[in-house]
Amino acid sequence: HGMIAAKHTPGPWNAFNASWSETFINAPGFDHGICCLDINHATEESQEADEALMAANARLIAAAPDLLDACRKALYAIKGREHDQFIRDAIAKATGEQS
């Protein structure tokens, strides 16, 4: 089965911490989260560390549209120079396109 490449939900995305164990990634124009992170394995002892890890993951996910845009701009600036393949590969991974 072929995978249909779709455009991602337009940004900016932001993280909304609904509770210590659940965070949503929200985007403009959506009345629900476009992504949900939850901790379903936490214990009392691991709650603080798990919550910090979830917050760090949520920040990275929420930054994804901005990071993709920055990669595209960086590729334009260094096209044909050293390391441009790393940027091409990152863009391909994010978009499902060929690098």
Side-chain angles (χ1 to χ4, degrees):
H1 295 276
M3 195 164 108
I4 297 174
K7 292 199 179 272
H8 68 79
T9 303
W13 295 356
N14 63 70
F16 171 72
N17 188 358
S19 71
W20 75 266
S21 65
E22 192 170 53
T23 296
F24 293 96
I25 305 300
N26 295 321
F30 283 79
D31 59 357
H32 57 279
I34 61 168
C35 176
C36 176
L37 294 87
D38 72 19
I39 301 169
N40 58 14
H41 63 276
T43 64
E44 228 175 279
E45 295 79 29
S46 71
Q47 178 178 337
E48 193 173 315
D50 289 339
E51 186 175 6
L53 178 62
M54 182 176 63
N57 289 341
R59 283 191 303 272
L60 181 59
I61 292 168
D66 298 323
L67 293 169
L68 179 58
D69 186 51
C71 282
R72 286 179 169 145
K73 288 175 179 166
L75 181 61
Y76 181 79
I78 69 160
K79 198 170 189 173
R81 292 194 219 150
E82 186 180 8
H83 303 305
D84 80 337
Q85 191 60 47
F86 293 109
I87 297 172
R88 289 177 190 277
D89 291 347
I91 292 169
K93 187 174 182 178
T95 62
E97 298 168 0
Q98 296 291 324
S99 61

